Amino acid sequence: MSSSKKNLSWKHQLHEIIYEADTKKGKIFDVILFTAIITSILLVMLESIESFDTKYHAFLDIGEWVITILFTIEYIMRIIAIKKPLKYIFSFYGIIDLLATLPKYLSFIFVGSHHLVALRALRLLRVFRILKLARYIGASNKLLVAIRASRAKIAVFMFFVIILCIILGTVMYMVEGAENGFTSIPRSVYWAIVTLTTVGFGDIYPHTPLGQLIASIIMILGYGIIAIPTGIVSSEMTRTNNLPTNTQACPNCLKDSHKENAIYCYHCGSTLNE
Amino acid sequence: MSSSKKNLSWKHQLHEIIYEADTKKGKIFDVILFTAIITSILLVMLESIESFDTKYHAFLDIGEWVITILFTIEYIMRIIAIKKPLKYIFSFYGIIDLLATLPKYLSFIFVGSHHLVALRALRLLRVFRILKLARYIGASNKLLVAIRASRAKIAVFMFFVIILCIILGTVMYMVEGAENGFTSIPRSVYWAIVTLTTVGFGDIYPHTPLGQLIASIIMILGYGIIAIPTGIVSSEMTRTNNLPTNTQACPNCLKDSHKENAIYCYHCGSTLNE
Amino acid sequence: MSSSKKNLSWKHQLHEIIYEADTKKGKIFDVILFTAIITSILLVMLESIESFDTKYHAFLDIGEWVITILFTIEYIMRIIAIKKPLKYIFSFYGIIDLLATLPKYLSFIFVGSHHLVALRALRLLRVFRILKLARYIGASNKLLVAIRASRAKIAVFMFFVIILCIILGTVMYMVEGAENGFTSIPRSVYWAIVTLTTVGFGDIYPHTPLGQLIASIIMILGYGIIAIPTGIVSSEMTRTNNLPTNTQACPNCLKDSHKENAIYCYHCGSTLNE
Amino acid sequence: MSSSKKNLSWKHQLHEIIYEADTKKGKIFDVILFTAIITSILLVMLESIESFDTKYHAFLDIGEWVITILFTIEYIMRIIAIKKPLKYIFSFYGIIDLLATLPKYLSFIFVGSHHLVALRALRLLRVFRILKLARYIGASNKLLVAIRASRAKIAVFMFFVIILCIILGTVMYMVEGAENGFTSIPRSVYWAIVTLTTVGFGDIYPHTPLGQLIASIIMILGYGIIAIPTGIVSSEMTRTNNLPTNTQACPNCLKDSHKENAIYCYHCGSTLNE
């Protein structure tokens, strides 16, 4: 019984180190994990540069193996430390953690595992976990509230932009035609998106005067309507910033968010403390 | 009389299905229509890709015919279901609905109907009807109010941008000349719009040092004045967000700007009307 | 004396038609002038298109002459109608009005007047006068107030952007060098402006990995700091929109801009009306 | 003693001229320094233009020497005028001031000092000192407060943008591959930054339909999320603008947020302190 208790406490301690960041050990673990992920990204990046890969292939390969083994140990520890291991294994991060280690092992069994390198890139998604750090910055809280509040409005706007691009792309396909690079409607829609969002690669561009006129209209439109999402987020953040500073709840009916200078509860009429 | 009533009620039911979205059947109709429009757009898109069209021409042609017949039935039903059919026929959507079906039938009569494909693209405009859906999201209501309120200001801004582009384009035509790609004033104005809106295709760009200096000024200008439409919409949306929805004054102390769902005055504690 | 009076009244009437827009005749004059300027711009534009000019040279030339004569008559009438003609002649618009007519006449005397076409482009500056129309829209008033109020802040920002571009351009000149298109510091500064303002022509772009890293930093910087002018104008416009609605002056000390719900004057303590 | 005092006073006077801008002499010194820095930048720029350098090499060289000697005199005077010379010498501006003069002297000793020209470019960093001038404009104060307040939020945003670009770049590397210009992951990440920030050079661009689809998503994303930093700064500046500058409460009724220059309480008419 004592052994079981000790075992539980040992698991509990591991859980605190791996899953939480409040203790000193937990912080050290997070920093090591952070460094390992960054290193792993750098290794994948360097390997993708052909001239670099041919020179330092052995070094990169060893580095990959060290990272893979570290990630494997971490993966096993995560399963041990948690009470419901299946819930973790089939969670979003659980699957990514597995996918981050598997390809390297598979490259051992299958010789022609050249295309499995692609799967290793998913390891990059682990970087998102670092965003947990953002929670401690605190600044992102109000930011997230504002973004979440304006989500619906921005979705409507995005939807409108896509419809606009489909119509404008089709018009440009009819006006310019295949001989000027607008070889198909999807390609023309792609061009319309490139133009409306003011990216302007220049791989496709209008050649006819009419096409240039329509392009001009698209560009001025794109230059103007960018004001809409910006306006949405700006006003939402201004509202979030202005949220009532009177945070007390009514002593009678417990309703909160009273007006800043309220003397009486707006809901039950009781006198508020102050 | 009973037959006439039954007929009316049948027409009324059809009207509810086609023109409204409150009943269950109406919603199903809208979803089917939505799917048909999306499919029709995809078919037009795929047909415009030459390599795809040569392979699956027969399949695409059949798909087009199915969609065309569905749209024709819908068009006839719309005329039957409405009380004033002429008003619908000559309305904006009525004309588009007709144009969405006609070209396919005309391709039957005239053999060389290659250019009529262009007309079929107008079918894409039907997608705008989907925007009706936005009404149910609700979020777009305040958005539309803010955009409508800032319409005049944005028009003045757009007008100013166009004048600026005409003058800057003419100056660049004089500075760079035809040998550097600025072959005419309209083309130079097109370049000025490309540059001021920060699109920057790169099909035309300044070669002379003076031209590059002027281009730099245009770019910094464009980078700066984008703040104007954004500022207009932002402030308008902030104002719209801050509008007090409870506009009554307290019957006792006459204080206003109460909370939206206030029952008692926040200042004197009297009961508010309503 | 009566003749002199009649003459004065005739001049006065002409002044009202030409310089003001309140009377019906004044409005008609403005519309005609507006049309003439637009036509004049279109003629200059069409003339600059070589293929068009060779075909319709005679037609364009006649058009030019008609416009030139109309502008000359207008110029003379303006001098007659005003009390202090010299003030008009040496004013900004007076000089432009003269420059709008002169080149065509000079092309009569000097045969090789090809380069004088350039001067004619200044006629386009007359379009700015149309902006007077904006005054009547009214919407632009608050807009101008907000822009004027944020002028100093935007100037500081622009100054900062230019310094940033000089430093970043020099760094890129050192990193990339002449062999990669960064042939001189001014050219590199031009590239830095193209990149920071997110225009991105693509006539010059980094080739070395280090250059691409620095370019990435410049782009993210440019993407981020555009928030600054936008924030300036947004907040200024929000402030302008929120300007106190209590417009009364204190009956005792005549101070105005009291708080919206003020009962007593903030300056002399007298009771305010209402 | 008198001599020592005189000496001190002489040093004090020099300090006032060089380090402060309140006296008339100090202002003249700042203007001369400003002109010298601008001239020095122009000389470095002109020298970097090959065609210009070959023509006017002697003239540019003399100009460089004059500026170098002036900067040397200024550097020595700065050391004399300050009480703790070492603190200045090892300060940020102290090191830059030294680096601004050294390379020209070193070119005297080492013949092949071609690459030291690079160091001279650091002289450009001196221009930042001009930003001190901004202090007197006053407008930048509130601007800096707002930027400082939104620093944390913008850092989180930038961090998110970089992670997004790494993931999107890797995906594009897998989709497009080396044959379409996406030769390595770092290069693909560079492309993702170019696209997301709406710069769009066009040196690399997607060729496959899937790549163009992903690029479209990146572009619409980039067009949308630019609203976030803009919203952050806008709301922060709105808040800064709305801060009540008179923070005292009325000694009689305790109401606060009086007008900035209020003498009497707007609510009860009592005299305010101060």
Side-chain angles (χ1 to χ4, degrees):
Chain A
M1 188 182 161
S2 160
S3 151
S4 159
K5 199 183 170 184
K6 198 187 158 194
N7 192 24
L8 256 169
S9 124
W10 170 77
K11 267 193 183 177
H12 186 77
Q13 222 175 320
L14 196 67
H15 184 275
E16 241 177 23
I17 291 169
I18 298 178
Y19 286 96
E20 269 148 73
D22 299 335
T23 59
K24 210 187 160 185
K25 281 178 187 173
K27 271 176 198 165
I28 290 167
F29 176 82
D30 277 2
V31 169
I32 292 168
L33 185 66
F34 187 91
T35 316
I37 294 169
I38 294 287
T39 313
S40 131
I41 294 167
L42 286 176
L43 285 175
V44 173
M45 279 191 171
L46 292 174
E47 212 187 318
S48 78
I49 305 169
E50 231 185 85
S51 64
F52 204 92
D53 189 43
T54 46
K55 260 192 199 161
Y56 306 103
H57 186 77
F59 172 78
L60 289 171
D61 200 54
I62 292 164
E64 283 276 347
W65 271 114
V66 171
I67 295 282
T68 304
I69 289 161
L70 280 175
F71 281 179
T72 311
I73 294 167
E74 186 217 342
Y75 184 66
I76 293 163
M77 285 204 303
R78 272 182 194 277
I79 291 171
I80 293 170
I82 211 160
K83 278 182 188 166
K84 298 177 181 172
L86 285 175
K87 210 180 163 185
Y88 163 70
I89 290 168
F90 294 103
S91 73
F92 177 68
Y93 279 120
I95 291 161
I96 287 169
D97 287 352
L98 186 65
L99 288 173
T101 56
L102 266 189
K104 199 68 191 167
Y105 293 115
L106 291 175
S107 75
F108 218 57
I109 306 165
F110 308 100
V111 183
S113 65
H114 176 253
H115 294 295
L116 284 164
V117 166
L119 267 172
R120 234 186 294 162
L122 279 162
R123 208 180 291 172
L124 285 163
L125 284 169
R126 296 184 65 136
V127 188
F128 269 126
R129 217 183 319 178
I130 303 160
L131 277 178
K132 277 183 199 168
L133 290 170
R135 248 182 246 161
Y136 306 107
I137 301 175
S140 63
N141 256 350
K142 280 195 172 179
L143 189 59
L144 284 173
V145 169
I147 292 166
R148 208 166 293 151
S150 47
R151 211 172 28 181
K153 281 182 201 167
I154 284 181
V156 170
F157 171 74
M158 292 278 192
F159 184 62
F160 173 73
V161 164
I162 290 163
I163 290 174
L164 204 65
C165 286
I166 290 171
I167 292 167
L168 292 170
T170 310
V171 170
M172 282 303 279
Y173 170 70
M174 283 150 53
V175 167
E176 289 278 327
E179 65 274 17
N180 292 322
F182 294 76
T183 48
S184 68
I185 291 180
R187 199 170 151 83
S188 299
V189 171
Y190 159 74
W191 173 84
I193 293 170
V194 167
T195 306
L196 195 85
T197 57
T198 75
V199 172
F201 281 130
D203 51 344
I204 318 165
Y205 55 84
H207 289 77
T208 65
L210 184 58
Q212 289 175 348
L213 183 68
I214 296 166
S216 299
I217 294 165
I218 297 174
M219 285 180 277
I220 290 176
L221 215 66
Y223 190 64
I225 63 175
I226 200 167
I228 296 171
T230 310
I232 294 166
V233 176
S234 290
S235 72
E236 207 53 61
M237 295 207 76
T238 304
R239 208 177 57 82
T240 313
N241 266 351
N242 289 343
L243 281 187
T245 36
N246 188 334
T247 51
Q248 72 165 306
C250 169
N252 183 40
C253 72
L254 296 174
K255 283 263 174 190
D256 57 6
S257 64
H258 299 280
K259 269 183 70 87
E260 203 177 334
N261 54 344
I263 304 168
Y264 297 97
C265 173
Y266 70 89
H267 185 253
C268 71
S270 316
T271 315
L272 296 172
N273 304 327
E274 149 79 353
Chain B
M1 187 182 160
S2 161
S3 151
S4 160
K5 200 183 170 184
K6 196 186 159 196
N7 192 24
L8 256 169
S9 127
W10 171 79
K11 266 191 183 178
H12 186 75
Q13 221 175 322
L14 197 67
H15 185 274
E16 242 176 22
I17 292 168
I18 298 178
Y19 287 96
E20 269 148 74
D22 299 335
T23 60
K24 209 186 160 186
K25 280 179 187 170
K27 271 175 198 164
I28 291 167
F29 177 82
D30 277 2
V31 168
I32 293 169
L33 186 65
F34 186 90
T35 316
I37 295 170
I38 295 287
T39 313
S40 131
I41 294 167
L42 285 176
L43 285 175
V44 174
M45 278 192 171
L46 291 174
E47 210 187 318
S48 77
I49 306 169
E50 232 185 84
S51 64
F52 204 94
D53 189 42
T54 45
K55 261 192 199 160
Y56 306 102
H57 186 77
F59 171 77
L60 289 171
D61 200 54
I62 291 164
E64 284 274 348
W65 272 113
V66 171
I67 296 282
T68 306
I69 288 161
L70 280 175
F71 282 178
T72 312
I73 294 167
E74 185 218 341
Y75 184 67
I76 292 163
M77 285 204 303
R78 273 182 194 278
I79 291 170
I80 293 169
I82 212 161
K83 278 182 186 166
K84 296 177 181 173
L86 285 175
K87 210 181 162 185
Y88 163 70
I89 290 167
F90 294 104
S91 74
F92 177 69
Y93 279 119
I95 291 162
I96 287 169
D97 288 351
L98 186 65
L99 288 174
T101 56
L102 266 190
K104 200 67 191 166
Y105 294 114
L106 289 176
S107 75
F108 220 55
I109 306 166
F110 307 99
V111 182
S113 65
H114 176 254
H115 295 294
L116 284 163
V117 166
L119 267 172
R120 234 186 294 164
L122 278 162
R123 209 180 290 173
L124 285 163
L125 283 169
R126 296 183 65 135
V127 187
F128 269 126
R129 219 183 319 178
I130 303 160
L131 278 178
K132 277 184 198 166
L133 289 170
R135 248 182 247 159
Y136 306 107
I137 300 176
S140 63
N141 256 350
K142 279 194 173 179
L143 189 59
L144 284 174
V145 169
I147 292 166
R148 209 167 293 150
S150 46
R151 211 173 29 182
K153 281 182 200 167
I154 283 180
V156 170
F157 171 74
M158 292 277 191
F159 184 63
F160 172 74
V161 164
I162 290 163
I163 291 174
L164 204 65
C165 286
I166 290 172
I167 293 168
L168 292 170
T170 310
V171 170
M172 282 304 279
Y173 170 71
M174 283 149 52
V175 166
E176 289 278 326
E179 64 274 16
N180 292 323
F182 294 77
T183 48
S184 69
I185 291 180
R187 199 170 151 83
S188 299
V189 171
Y190 159 73
W191 173 85
I193 293 169
V194 167
T195 306
L196 195 83
T197 58
T198 75
V199 172
F201 281 130
D203 53 341
I204 319 165
Y205 55 84
H207 290 75
T208 64
L210 184 59
Q212 290 176 348
L213 183 68
I214 295 166
S216 299
I217 294 165
I218 297 173
M219 286 180 275
I220 291 176
L221 215 66
Y223 190 63
I225 63 175
I226 201 168
I228 296 171
T230 310
I232 294 166
V233 177
S234 290
S235 71
E236 208 53 62
M237 295 206 76
T238 304
R239 208 175 58 82
T240 314
N241 265 352
N242 289 344
L243 281 185
T245 34
N246 186 333
T247 50
Q248 73 167 305
C250 170
N252 182 39
C253 73
L254 296 174
K255 283 265 173 188
D256 56 7
S257 64
H258 298 281
K259 270 183 70 85
E260 203 176 333
N261 54 346
I263 305 167
Y264 297 97
C265 172
Y266 70 89
H267 185 253
C268 70
S270 316
T271 314
L272 295 174
N273 302 328
E274 152 88 341
Chain C
M1 186 182 160
S2 159
S3 150
S4 160
K5 197 183 171 184
K6 196 187 159 195
N7 191 24
L8 256 170
S9 124
W10 172 78
K11 267 192 183 177
H12 187 77
Q13 222 174 319
L14 196 67
H15 185 275
E16 243 177 20
I17 292 168
I18 298 178
Y19 287 96
E20 269 147 73
D22 299 334
T23 59
K24 209 187 162 185
K25 280 179 187 170
K27 272 176 197 165
I28 291 166
F29 176 82
D30 277 2
V31 168
I32 293 169
L33 186 65
F34 186 91
T35 316
I37 294 170
I38 294 287
T39 313
S40 131
I41 293 167
L42 285 177
L43 285 175
V44 173
M45 278 192 170
L46 291 174
E47 211 188 318
S48 78
I49 306 169
E50 232 184 86
S51 64
F52 203 94
D53 188 43
T54 46
K55 260 192 198 161
Y56 305 103
H57 186 78
F59 172 77
L60 289 171
D61 200 53
I62 291 164
E64 284 276 347
W65 272 113
V66 171
I67 296 283
T68 306
I69 288 159
L70 280 175
F71 281 179
T72 311
I73 294 166
E74 186 218 342
Y75 183 66
I76 292 163
M77 284 205 302
R78 273 182 194 277
I79 291 170
I80 293 169
I82 211 158
K83 276 182 188 168
K84 295 175 181 175
L86 284 175
K87 210 180 163 185
Y88 164 70
I89 291 167
F90 294 104
S91 74
F92 177 69
Y93 279 118
I95 291 162
I96 286 169
D97 288 350
L98 186 65
L99 288 173
T101 56
L102 265 188
K104 201 66 190 168
Y105 293 115
L106 289 175
S107 75
F108 220 55
I109 307 167
F110 307 100
V111 182
S113 64
H114 176 253
H115 295 294
L116 283 164
V117 166
L119 267 172
R120 236 186 291 164
L122 279 162
R123 211 180 288 172
L124 285 163
L125 283 169
R126 297 184 64 138
V127 187
F128 269 124
R129 221 184 318 179
I130 303 159
L131 278 177
K132 278 184 199 167
L133 291 170
R135 250 182 245 161
Y136 305 107
I137 301 174
S140 63
N141 256 351
K142 279 194 173 179
L143 189 60
L144 284 173
V145 169
I147 292 166
R148 208 167 293 151
S150 47
R151 208 172 31 181
K153 281 182 200 166
I154 284 180
V156 170
F157 171 74
M158 292 278 191
F159 184 62
F160 172 75
V161 164
I162 290 163
I163 290 174
L164 205 66
C165 286
I166 290 172
I167 292 167
L168 292 171
T170 309
V171 169
M172 282 304 278
Y173 170 70
M174 282 150 52
V175 167
E176 288 279 327
E179 64 274 17
N180 292 323
F182 294 76
T183 49
S184 68
I185 291 180
R187 199 170 150 83
S188 299
V189 171
Y190 158 74
W191 173 84
I193 293 170
V194 167
T195 305
L196 195 84
T197 57
T198 76
V199 172
F201 280 130
D203 52 342
I204 319 166
Y205 55 83
H207 290 76
T208 64
L210 183 60
Q212 288 175 350
L213 182 69
I214 296 166
S216 298
I217 294 165
I218 297 174
M219 285 179 277
I220 290 176
L221 213 68
Y223 190 63
I225 63 174
I226 201 168
I228 296 171
T230 310
I232 294 166
V233 177
S234 289
S235 72
E236 207 54 61
M237 295 206 75
T238 305
R239 208 176 59 81
T240 313
N241 267 351
N242 288 342
L243 279 186
T245 37
N246 187 335
T247 51
Q248 74 165 305
C250 169
N252 183 38
C253 74
L254 296 174
K255 282 264 174 189
D256 56 6
S257 65
H258 298 279
K259 268 183 73 85
E260 206 177 330
N261 55 344
I263 305 167
Y264 298 96
C265 172
Y266 69 88
H267 186 254
C268 70
S270 316
T271 315
L272 296 172
N273 302 329
E274 150 89 342
Chain D
M1 189 182 160
S2 160
S3 152
S4 159
K5 198 185 170 182
K6 197 188 159 194
N7 191 24
L8 258 169
S9 124
W10 171 78
K11 269 192 182 177
H12 186 77
Q13 222 173 321
L14 195 67
H15 185 274
E16 242 177 21
I17 292 169
I18 298 177
Y19 287 95
E20 270 148 72
D22 300 333
T23 60
K24 208 186 162 187
K25 281 179 185 171
K27 273 176 196 164
I28 292 168
F29 176 81
D30 277 2
V31 169
I32 293 170
L33 185 65
F34 185 91
T35 317
I37 293 169
I38 295 286
T39 313
S40 131
I41 293 167
L42 286 177
L43 285 175
V44 173
M45 279 192 170
L46 291 174
E47 211 188 318
S48 77
I49 306 168
E50 231 184 87
S51 64
F52 204 93
D53 188 44
T54 46
K55 260 191 197 161
Y56 306 102
H57 185 77
F59 172 78
L60 289 172
D61 199 53
I62 291 165
E64 284 275 348
W65 271 112
V66 170
I67 295 282
T68 306
I69 288 159
L70 279 175
F71 281 178
T72 312
I73 293 167
E74 185 217 341
Y75 184 67
I76 293 163
M77 285 205 302
R78 273 181 194 276
I79 292 171
I80 293 170
I82 213 161
K83 278 182 186 166
K84 295 176 181 174
L86 285 175
K87 210 180 162 184
Y88 164 70
I89 291 168
F90 294 105
S91 74
F92 177 68
Y93 279 119
I95 291 162
I96 287 170
D97 287 353
L98 186 65
L99 288 173
T101 57
L102 266 189
K104 200 66 191 168
Y105 293 116
L106 289 176
S107 75
F108 219 56
I109 305 167
F110 306 99
V111 183
S113 65
H114 176 252
H115 294 294
L116 285 163
V117 165
L119 267 171
R120 236 186 291 162
L122 280 161
R123 211 180 288 171
L124 285 163
L125 284 168
R126 297 184 64 139
V127 187
F128 269 126
R129 220 182 318 176
I130 302 159
L131 277 178
K132 279 184 198 169
L133 290 170
R135 250 181 245 162
Y136 306 108
I137 300 174
S140 62
N141 256 350
K142 279 192 173 180
L143 188 59
L144 283 173
V145 169
I147 292 166
R148 209 166 293 150
S150 48
R151 210 174 28 183
K153 281 181 200 166
I154 284 181
V156 171
F157 171 75
M158 291 278 190
F159 185 63
F160 173 73
V161 164
I162 290 164
I163 290 174
L164 204 65
C165 286
I166 289 172
I167 292 167
L168 292 171
T170 309
V171 170
M172 282 303 278
Y173 170 70
M174 282 150 53
V175 167
E176 288 278 327
E179 64 275 16
N180 292 323
F182 293 77
T183 48
S184 68
I185 292 180
R187 200 170 150 82
S188 298
V189 171
Y190 159 73
W191 173 84
I193 293 170
V194 167
T195 305
L196 194 85
T197 58
T198 76
V199 172
F201 281 130
D203 52 343
I204 319 166
Y205 55 84
H207 289 77
T208 64
L210 184 60
Q212 288 175 349
L213 182 69
I214 296 167
S216 299
I217 294 165
I218 298 174
M219 285 180 279
I220 290 175
L221 213 68
Y223 190 64
I225 62 175
I226 200 167
I228 296 171
T230 310
I232 294 165
V233 177
S234 290
S235 72
E236 206 53 61
M237 295 206 75
T238 305
R239 207 175 58 82
T240 314
N241 265 352
N242 289 344
L243 281 183
T245 34
N246 186 335
T247 51
Q248 73 166 306
C250 170
N252 183 39
C253 72
L254 296 174
K255 283 264 174 189
D256 58 5
S257 66
H258 298 280
K259 271 181 69 85
E260 202 176 333
N261 54 344
I263 304 168
Y264 297 97
C265 173
Y266 71 89
H267 184 255
C268 70
S270 317
T271 315
L272 296 172
N273 303 329
E274 151 91 338

